Amino acid sequence: HALAVAPLRGAFLFPVQAEGKTMGVLVFTSAEVRRPDERVLRAVGSVGSQIGQFLRHRRSEEARRRFRAGMDASADMILLIDPRAMRYVDVNETVCRTLGYTREEMLAMGPQDLLPVGREQLKRDYDRFIEDPDSIRGMNSAYRLRDGSTLPFESTRRVLQTEEGPLIVAISRDIRPRLATERALRDSEERFRSLTGLSADWYWEQDAELRFVATGGAHKERGGITAAEHHGRRRWELPGTEPAGSHPPAVP
């Protein structure tokens, strides 16, 4: 059976506001036209403001929850810095796991406690960065770990504008594995150069265009030409170093 619905003849509405901004409107309807109570009219402003503050707080909490979930999912260290108080206002789990501090310990410290730079210098750098975000592209330095050791890192920085003021967002990456790889390559290169220097044979390297880029061996000269004179030149451009087939083909 269809239900009979009484026609709506009256409506009462008022805005929901927070910090001078309207977030929505509450609407009350009735089947009768009624004169609003004066006490209700005087109270709706306060009620709308309280509801607005509540909704704004809930939205802010949800935004922070999503932001934190995104931060904690990152493999990079993410640190939010208040440049006025020179304190960390938030860090992700990667920071705590990598540096060894608890989140509570991190929020009691500032960048001057972890970086080899004084507070005043950092504050000047942050002020300049906020004024001109293009003034700082990145940073290579080292954090002080909880056990007293240091961790080399590279980072990018951004200015995040909030209702409370600007924040500095530092996204840092542990570069110890990369530095170890580079050091191993240098050591390997040095050992290789040492071995070629002891070789009784003449040694050389050429690029894709057959230019000499390195020479070595026990014999420092070849055909009366020193090693340095080979660099940047091709075999057929030097006397005594023109093996068969190394010169460019003749043009008919």
Side-chain angles (χ1 to χ4, degrees):
H1 299 282
L3 296 177
V5 179
L8 301 177
R9 294 188 175 88
F12 176 67
L13 60 147
F14 61 91
V16 175
Q17 296 181 322
E19 297 184 355
K21 297 181 180 179
T22 300
M23 303 180 65
V25 177
L26 287 179
V27 180
F28 300 89
T29 59
S30 67
E32 300 177 2
V33 177
R34 299 179 180 178
R35 181 180 296 277
D37 188 287
E38 291 297 329
R39 292 174 298 177
V40 174
L41 290 177
R42 288 194 298 268
V44 293
S46 176
V47 173
S49 177
Q50 291 178 10
I51 295 175
Q53 292 294 338
F54 173 76
L55 292 176
R56 181 177 176 275
H57 179 72
R58 288 290 300 273
R59 290 180 181 178
S60 297
E61 286 295 326
E62 179 64 16
R64 280 194 289 269
R65 187 189 67 77
R66 293 179 180 176
F67 182 69
R68 167 156 292 284
M71 285 178 58
D72 288 339
S74 174
D76 291 330
M77 294 176 282
I78 303 178
L79 307 95
L80 274 60
I81 306 160
D82 183 345
R84 295 162 300 174
M86 291 300 290
R87 284 290 183 269
Y88 293 115
V89 297
D90 206 353
V91 297
N92 67 348
E93 289 183 0
T94 307
V95 170
C96 300
R97 185 171 60 252
T98 305
L99 303 187
Y101 301 95
T102 66
R103 185 168 181 272
E104 289 71 23
E105 288 174 327
M106 287 295 303
L107 298 186
M109 297 190 295
Q112 65 276 4
D113 299 314
L114 298 184
L115 296 173
V117 184
R119 175 191 175 101
E120 294 305 317
Q121 180 61 53
L122 283 170
K123 195 172 189 320
R124 286 193 295 270
D125 292 342
Y126 291 153
D127 290 342
R128 186 174 70 254
F129 184 38
I130 293 170
E131 184 177 349
D132 180 11
D134 291 331
S135 63
I136 300 178
R137 294 292 182 179
M139 179 179 183
N140 283 64
S141 187
Y143 287 130
R144 180 177 60 82
L145 276 63
R146 198 175 192 279
D147 62 8
S149 61
T150 57
L151 181 145
F153 72 89
E154 63 181 7
S155 71
T156 57
R157 304 196 172 194
R158 298 288 184 272
V159 177
L160 177 65
Q161 297 293 344
T162 70
E163 294 180 356
E164 291 76 21
L167 296 178
I168 305 295
V169 181
I171 304 174
S172 304
R173 177 167 297 179
D174 179 359
I175 58 174
R176 287 177 298 185
R178 191 185 76 190
L179 294 179
T181 299
E182 292 175 352
R183 185 164 52 251
L185 288 174
R186 287 196 301 270
D187 292 344
S188 178
E189 176 73 10
E190 290 176 2
R191 288 194 297 269
F192 177 72
R193 295 297 178 191
S194 297
L195 290 174
T196 57
L198 296 174
S199 174
D201 296 323
W202 190 60
Y203 161 81
W204 70 90
E205 294 180 26
Q206 292 174 283
D207 61 17
E209 297 182 355
L210 300 180
R211 292 187 177 88
F212 287 100
V213 294
T215 58
H219 301 288
K220 302 302 182 183
E221 295 188 5
R222 186 73 172 181
I225 301 175
T226 64
E229 291 175 315
H230 284 78
H231 295 175
R233 303 169 72 178
R234 297 179 177 88
R235 292 181 180 181
W236 56 84
E237 296 173 342
L238 298 166
T241 58
E242 184 182 341
S246 63
H247 55 77
V251 178

